[in-house]
Amino acid sequence: MKKKNFSEKRKHPRMPVISNLIEPVNLHYKTEDGKETSLVAILADLSASGMRMISFLGAPMADRFSISLQLPGAGKMEVGAKLAWVKQRENVYTIGIEFIKVAEKDAKIISEMADDFNDCDTRILLKLPDVCVPECKCNKICNKIQKDESLFEDK
């Protein structure tokens, strides 16, 4: 039997979307006949090069589209994207999106948030005493039980 190679293909660290990001993302696109339309989905995870979303309304009917993304603590981001994959289970669609046009500053913000989220996970796994750090860029969306709210009260 031949072994499959499941090596990581992502260029950027990703983070699951938690807490304050449970709000819809609008995908704006044109259908093949040129009609402008949109689809609402919920963000599941995010990296500087793409995201995974869940929709109960179907999958986008276009290869390319624009996304307006609002991240707490980071502001609004306009992203050009393409459809990477779609998985359907009954009436639930899981959608993989690859970013093809994202501002460098926005990609940097997302990467820093993902790095801090993953660093926190490492500190939790290592059972370090100070898991939460005041310079964490992911604090606005963090809902981990280890979060020390007092570190972010004035930010």
Side-chain angles (χ1 to χ4, degrees), residues 48-111:
S49 55
M51 63 187 187
R52 180 173 50 98
M53 301 184 314
I54 298 168
S55 173
F56 304 100
L57 304 173
M61 301 309 241
D63 290 331
R64 297 182 188 272
F65 36 86
S66 61
I67 300 171
S68 184
L69 201 55
Q70 184 79 32
L71 297 175
K76 189 174 183 179
M77 300 176 185
E78 299 295 331
V79 180
K82 72 178 185 176
L83 188 63
W85 52 266
V86 176
K87 294 179 183 174
Q88 180 181 359
R89 178 179 249 172
E90 296 182 15
N91 292 331
V92 179
Y93 299 83
T94 306
I95 305 163
I97 304 293
E98 181 182 342
F99 297 155
I100 54 175
K101 184 179 179 187
V102 59
E104 194 173 311
K105 70 175 183 56
D106 293 338
K108 183 177 187 267
I109 289 168
I110 294 169
S111 283

Side-chain angles (χ1 to χ4, degrees), residues 25-38:
V25 173
N26 279 312
L27 302 178
H28 302 283
Y29 61 94
K30 287 185 181 179
T31 59
E32 288 181 11
D33 60 2
K35 181 181 173 188
E36 289 201 23
T37 189
S38 64

